[in-house]
Amino acid sequence: MARSIAHQSVADLGGPSSILTLQRNDHVRLARLMDRARATLPTGGATHQVALRAVARLVFTHAFAEEAVLFPAARRALPEGDPLSLRIEEDHQEVNELMARLDMSSADDPEHPERLERTFAVLDADVRTEEDELLPRLQEVMDPRQLRTIGRQWEFLRRTSPTRPHPVVSRRPPGQTLSALPLTVIDRSRDRLQQLGERTGGRLDPLLGPTDRVLALAAGAVERIPVIQYGERPETDR
Ligand SMILES: [Fe+2]
Ligand SMILES: [Fe+2]
């Protein structure tokens, strides 16, 4: 059985830019952001929403780049790459659906804490499958140079990926990759509007609210373009 990457040295993982190191760093950051979201739950309102947005931003850029770069590489390199990556894509699909629901609920909704914990439990399971199964297997069959090449591709895509849940989009290329440009532009515009709203203490809400709703509708329309669903497996089709 391959050895988990959780406690290996950075040198053993192939150096700081190896996909194994980059993944583990991001997973540690995710655990911290989830703790902060839990801690802000009793305060409710804006502070909790900001903490949740930080979780979402990390999760969706991270997972999008995995689906575009890491899992296709795993499918090429490992005989068990297809079922293993599919299992993780099913977790990603569930996180997309749960976070979309969390986005629509507020902290004082009685079901919100339970939804939050369910979402975080799936995220924890996703991290364990990657660190204990998928990434150690890649470590066995790839040399450090290959791990660094995938790391660079993943890092580039992570910086240019959509930042919000999109449950309807295919979890696999080519639909997944085709959705990247329009959804990245829309999501990051919505993020900027939201930051502007927070900076101006809600004074611009009458203007920003309707603009955000138009952008959300545009994202929904993009998600439903048939070509964006190409490559989808029935297991993650919604
Ligand atoms: Fe990951
Ligand atoms: Fe993942």
Side-chain angles (χ1 to χ4, degrees), residues 58 66 68 85 98 105 109 124 143 160 169:
L58 186 144
E66 286 175 349
S85 59
L98 286 164
S105 73
D109 183 330
D124 282 335
D143 60 38
T160 54
V169 167

Side-chain angles (χ1 to χ4, degrees), residues 82-100:
D82 186 62
L84 191 48
S85 59
L86 183 60
R87 187 143 60 85
I88 304 174
E89 285 162 350
E90 287 180 87
D91 279 347
H92 286 187
Q93 180 64 32
E94 192 174 358
V95 169
N96 265 269
E97 290 166 17
L98 286 164
M99 289 286 261

Side-chain angles (χ1 to χ4, degrees), residues 213-225:
R213 279 192 288 281
V214 169
L215 287 170
L217 285 173
V222 168
E223 285 178 3
R224 282 176 175 75
I225 297 171

Side-chain angles (χ1 to χ4, degrees), residues 190-208:
R190 293 183 71 193
D191 290 348
R192 247 168 257 134
L193 288 182
Q194 195 167 27
Q195 285 155 7
L196 181 62
E198 282 156 17
R199 272 205 309 277
T200 52
R203 284 196 308 281
L204 295 179
D205 281 359
L207 180 69
L208 299 180

Side-chain angles (χ1 to χ4, degrees), residues 23 27 62-63 66 71 88 92 126-127 130:
Q23 279 280 320
H27 294 162
H62 179 107
E66 286 175 349
F71 301 161
I88 304 174
H92 286 187
D126 180 56
V127 167
E130 291 171 10

Side-chain angles (χ1 to χ4, degrees), residues 128-146:
R128 290 278 47 88
T129 313
E130 291 171 10
E131 291 197 1
D132 300 344
E133 298 182 51
L134 180 83
L135 297 169
R137 284 288 292 128
L138 284 185
Q139 188 180 29
E140 285 182 331
V141 300
M142 288 182 179
D143 60 38
R145 196 182 46 82
Q146 287 172 300

